[in-house]
């Protein structure tokens, strides 16, 4: 077990040990708390709301029952029948997370206590526009393009390089389901040059040599696992190689705006196109065209 992995923690022990946790975080760029989230009622509510979303979608659009399945298995079923439907759920957890229960986790007092322990009481806490991601990794090679090469999160998000990623396991662990490969202590390299790979994903340029001196650690997430890492820590996806199991994770990012690089571009965030809904097309019967839409 690595010195930055803290097993058997709950919110109370997390708060009681913020000093040593912050020390480990600063030294390694990462801290991990297996199962901690199972002690957070808002996290548990989020899981159960996601489960209900899956059940409802599977019943409504596919006329199948999925109530008795574990949440990862619900995704496996959905992805095998109609993969595009998954976007309805990931859309609710991504850019930004729209679910009340998980925003209570995102802005919980113990999360803020950690951020201020790392950045100091005067930190100007913010959250980048594309900072929330609900990631689905179902089985099947067609999903492998969603796996990320060795990267730093900052390049994807901007707003401030003083930035922290929080990573939450949502589905149950199975051998081969994949996870995260991290390069311990690599945050000390600062913002690294990068290029875009064949999938358009940012990749640390010449990472084989850049990261050669850093120890690699692979972590597979289980339901309730909580990880925190520096946005500049290099990490990559470990693909799901199972044929029947899925991996689901929720990610949040936070910035400290009190940073000269962030000031240099006025704290702007990266924005990615998302599909939206328009009142006029969804409710044509309730929209009375005004003068500006009347054609001559
Ligand atoms: O969970 C993964 O496979 C990697 C996700 C990740 O690093 C990211 O979204 O920035
Ligand atoms: Fe990442």
């Amino acid at each position: 077990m690595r010195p930055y992995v803290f097993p058997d923690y709950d919110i109370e022990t997390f708060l009681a040990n913020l000093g040593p946790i912050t020390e480990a975080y600063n030294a390694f760029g990462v801290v991990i708390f297996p199962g901690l989230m199972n002690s957070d009622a808002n996290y548990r509510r989020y899981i159960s709301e996601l489960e209900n979303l899956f059940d409802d979608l599977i019943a409504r659009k596919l006329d199948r029952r999925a109530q008795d399945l574990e949440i990862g298995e619900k995704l496996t079923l959905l992805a095998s029948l109609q993969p595009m439907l998954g976007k309805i759920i990931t859309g609710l957890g991504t850019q930004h997370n729209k679910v009340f229960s998980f925003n209570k986790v995102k802005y919980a007092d113990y999360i803020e206590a950690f951020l201020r322990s790392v950045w100091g009481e005067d930190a100007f806490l913010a959250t980048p526009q594309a900072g929330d991601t609900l990631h689905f990794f179902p089985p099947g090679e067609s999903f492998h393009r969603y796996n990320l090469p060795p990267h730093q999160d900052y390049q994807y998000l901007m707003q401030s390089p003083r930035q922290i990623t929080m990573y939450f396991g949502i589905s149950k662990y199975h051998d081969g389901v994949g996870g995260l490969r991290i390069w311990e202590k690599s945050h000390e390299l600062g913002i690294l040059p990068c290029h875009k790979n064949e999938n358009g994903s940012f990749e640390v340029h010449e990472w084989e040599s850049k990261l050669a001196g850093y120890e690699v650690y692979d972590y597979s997430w289980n339901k309730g696992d909580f990880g925190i890492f520096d946005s500049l820590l290099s990490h990559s996806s470990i693909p799901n190689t199972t044929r029947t199991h899925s991996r689901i994770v929720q990610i949040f990012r936070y910035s400290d705006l009190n940073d000269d690089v962030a000031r240099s571009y006025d704290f702007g965030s990266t924005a990615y196109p998302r599909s939206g809904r328009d009142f006029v097309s969804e409710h044509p019967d309730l929209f009375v065209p005004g003068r500006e839409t009347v054609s001559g």
Side-chain angles (χ1 to χ4, degrees):
M1 189 79 81
R2 310 299 294 138
Y4 49 84
V5 179
F6 299 85
D8 304 321
Y9 267 49
D10 58 15
I11 295 171
E12 215 173 300
T13 42
F14 179 89
L15 281 170
N17 289 284
L18 268 184
I21 291 170
T22 304
E23 248 173 67
Y25 173 82
N26 286 331
F28 291 94
V30 52
V31 280
I32 297 171
F33 306 89
L36 181 142
M37 278 296 144
N38 296 319
S39 68
D40 185 324
N42 288 309
Y43 168 88
R44 295 198 304 271
R45 180 180 288 261
Y46 184 56
I47 302 285
S48 107
E49 286 170 340
L50 285 182
E51 286 180 334
N52 291 341
L53 271 172
F54 272 108
D55 293 346
D56 173 61
L57 208 57
I58 290 168
R60 202 157 43 84
K61 304 250 189 192
L62 303 169
D63 202 19
R64 293 276 282 264
R65 280 176 54 85
Q67 269 88 341
D68 301 332
L69 301 178
E70 183 272 328
I71 189 164
E73 293 175 354
K74 292 181 202 286
L75 171 57
T76 302
L77 174 66
L78 186 69
S80 71
L81 296 170
Q82 262 225 56
M84 291 309 285
L85 288 180
K87 289 208 184 301
I88 296 173
I89 302 179
T90 54
L92 281 169
T94 303
Q95 291 176 53
H96 63 288
N97 187 302
K98 288 102 183 159
V99 182
F100 193 98
S101 58
F102 221 43
N103 278 286
K104 287 184 84 171
V105 176
K106 179 172 178 179
Y107 298 112
D109 287 346
Y110 68 96
I111 302 273
E112 179 174 357
F114 175 82
L115 297 171
R116 293 201 183 280
S117 173
V118 171
W119 286 329
E121 283 304 313
D122 294 337
F124 186 165
L125 300 183
T127 172
Q129 185 162 335
D132 303 350
T133 322
L134 178 58
H135 266 308
F136 284 178
F137 299 93
E141 303 218 337
S142 60
F143 299 106
H144 280 202
R145 66 182 182 280
Y146 298 112
N147 288 298
L148 295 179
H151 68 280
Q152 299 177 306
D153 278 0
Y154 169 66
Q155 281 85 343
Y156 288 86
L157 305 166
M158 302 297 287
Q159 190 177 64
S160 172
R162 264 168 93 79
Q163 195 169 68
I164 289 176
T165 292
M166 298 206 181
Y167 196 104
F168 305 84
I170 302 288
S171 56
K172 184 173 153 58
Y173 169 76
H174 293 279
D175 279 340
V177 85
L180 265 198
R181 166 161 295 186
I182 52 194
W183 280 263
E184 292 175 0
K185 302 186 177 176
S186 60
H187 63 308
E188 70 187 22
L189 294 171
I191 307 172
L192 290 169
C194 59
H195 60 259
K196 284 195 177 172
N197 77 359
E198 66 280 9
N199 297 322
S201 307
F202 283 115
E203 176 168 3
V204 172
H205 193 58
E206 296 177 342
W207 60 267
E208 290 93 337
S209 56
K210 282 264 167 49
L211 303 176
Y214 293 92
E215 293 234 17
V216 166
Y217 179 62
D218 289 348
Y219 191 81
S220 300
W221 305 85
N222 202 353
K223 182 168 179 286
D225 291 356
F226 178 35
I228 308 177
F229 54 90
D230 191 301
S231 193
L232 299 179
L233 187 86
S234 289
H235 59 284
S236 67
S237 297
I238 303 168
N240 175 3
T241 53
T242 71
R243 293 181 348 138
T244 51
H245 298 300
S246 294
R247 182 160 66 91
I248 303 178
V249 296
Q250 175 75 51
I251 307 181
F252 286 151
R253 281 87 166 196
Y254 307 81
S255 307
D256 178 5
L257 301 188
N258 195 8
D259 179 273
D260 285 340
V261 175
R263 282 186 195 96
S264 74
Y265 56 83
D266 302 329
F267 321 108
S269 293
T270 307
Y272 296 91
R274 307 293 294 173
S275 57
R277 293 287 178 160
D278 173 54
F279 180 82
V280 180
S281 21
E282 298 303 327
H283 294 288
D285 48 329
L286 294 174
F287 181 68
V288 184
R291 252 171 308 195
E292 72 280 9
T293 59
V294 176
S295 53

